[in-house]
Amino acid sequence: MLNPLKLLLLAIVLVVGRGLLWIVNLLVVAPLFDPLRKLPGPPGPFFFSHIQSVVKPSYPSPDLSATQHEEWKKQYGKTFRYHGSGKFDYRLMTFDLRAVSHILMSPIYQKPRVTRTFLSTMLGQGIFTTEGAEHAFQRKIIGPAFNLQSIKTLTPIFLRTAEELRDKWDVIVSNGQETIDVCHWISRATFDAFGMACLTYNFRAIHGETEELYLAFRRMFDLADKKGILRILVPILDKFWPDKIVRSVLESRQVIYATGRRLISEKKSTILADKGSSNVSNERDLLSLLIQSNLCTNDPTKALSDPELLDQISSFFFAGSDTTALSLSWCLYFLALHPDIQTRLREELNHPTTLEPTSSQGFNFEDRAYDMLESFSLLDSVVRETLRLAPPVHGTLRVATQNDLIPVSEPVVLTNGTVVAPGEYIQIRKGSIIHIPIEGLNFAKDIWSEDTLQFRPDRWCSLPPVAQPPNFPGLANLMTFSFGPSSCPGYRFTITEMKAFLSTILPHYTFSVPEGQTISKRNGLFTRPFVKGKSKMGVQLPLTVKHIDEYSP
Ligand code: HEM
Ligand SMILES: *[C@@H]1O[C@H](CO)[C@@H](O)[C@H](O)[C@H]1NC(C)=O
Ligand SMILES: *[C@@H]1O[C@H](CO)[C@@H](O)[C@H](O)[C@H]1NC(C)=O
């Protein structure tokens, strides 16, 4: 007969044995049969990870990942594998646009569970954390908030916020010249613009950072950037052993829900009242558009609940406010580095062409503001070139949810000597991770030409044919907003906001880089600027801002 002690021992042996088997399988057996093993790629000892070298920031220090990518491409071709957490964790990286578009367009590939769990602590069950049919449904609900008409309506908001920032700077730069952290100021201003655009809610962050909802969003996103890798990889820790970060995120979410619920009920009653009186609703912020779209869905059982609507709004804030602020800040930095382009752009902005009415109904203020911004051609090139050279999201990951064949347009030489020819396929196994190098693709010399690390807005007037395929008209092969069913719906929002700010600020100020100062990029959740040698001081981008005296001869 077994006594309890032996039984316990047996149980322990079984559990430990199973664990060991799992580990042996993970580290040794499974990798042996991983088709990615046959792909060429950089070597390394068993626990060596290449992650550092593939995400190291690369501008303006092109000695890092940009060079690394080019080197690997030369050595292994455009499609290769690298070691994720170690040799047992092969990851696919590809610069082959055929393969990239297959991966981004196919429903087989999803965001890795780790990413989704991590984001769901902040963003609940929003667009970032769902996949498949649920994701497609949410995408449909948020669609109207991002169409051209909606962005046109928001244009005056962007312009007004930009003017507020300009006026604030007038006070700060009252001596005529001052070195200020433009990243910080732009970030406050874009948050204000976002509050107005999303919720018709004024954080007044340009004037002081005290508003409760503003602070809640800020705290939540700042903390997300500080989250340790262990907690990202082992999310169960958060559930049973919440640390300061998790607790603070939850507190912030409570503030967001409390204020959000009030805003939703106010907006709902206005919208319903307008509907009842068959008035066309004047509520044009993104939340109102979401509510209306949600009311109109043809399957009301699936309609989003109020907390789910708020999760979408939090997702917009998360995805859109810092990224837009960073793009604008990088743009001012590039203009500071290139005074000739800055002067040309200012000239263009100071001489707007008069616009003819586009429709028989004559002018509508919003359309007019939008069309005006669209009429500046150098402005358009400067914005695109900034987005290409400093994409705030430097890369994204996908996981294969089943075995698949990925088509390639350039030969891949497998390690056993077999050549996978253009038009043929490489194998990928369920569970494999794919790294889409957004920044790397934006820097690829074979797409954008040899001077790809240069800030040269004029390239947008004569792009090489490979850079402008028909699949995403307007943005060419810019990878900054990704492609396919999970691509960024906010690209037009960002571009228009950037144009509104630049067109308001540049005619009033010149920007230059303080003597002896070098700015570096750092890749966290987003790609942020630091002063070289002063990274301990955190994110900052000090530029010398000089007032242009309108009355000087
Ligand atoms: C420079 C500014 C921006 C950049 C670089 C950017 C970049 C991206 C990228 C790369 C993705 C895809 C992520 C992935 O597939 O892994 C994405 C998704 C998304 N972005 Fe943006 N974004 C920007 C601005 C905005 C703005 C202003 C908004 C909203 C107002 C927004 C809302 C979203 C949303 C909701 C998604 C999720 C789409 C989905 O999962 O279907 N983004 N963004
Ligand atoms: C409908 O619009 C008219 C005119 O703008 C306004 O007077 C009226 O109060 C609106 N009705 C409701 C229920 O808001
Ligand atoms: C090399 O590997 C590929 C993919 O597994 C296989 O199709 C091919 O037959 C192999 N070639 C040789 C020469 O073993």
Side-chain angles (χ1 to χ4, degrees), residues 273-274 277 279:
D274 284 340
S277 64
N279 277 2

Side-chain angles (χ1 to χ4, degrees), residues 182-183 186 324-334 529 541 543:
V182 296
C183 190
I186 295 274
T324 307
L326 287 166
S327 294
L328 257 171
S329 305
W330 286 116
C331 190
L332 292 180
Y333 177 62
F334 291 140
L541 179 48
L543 291 181

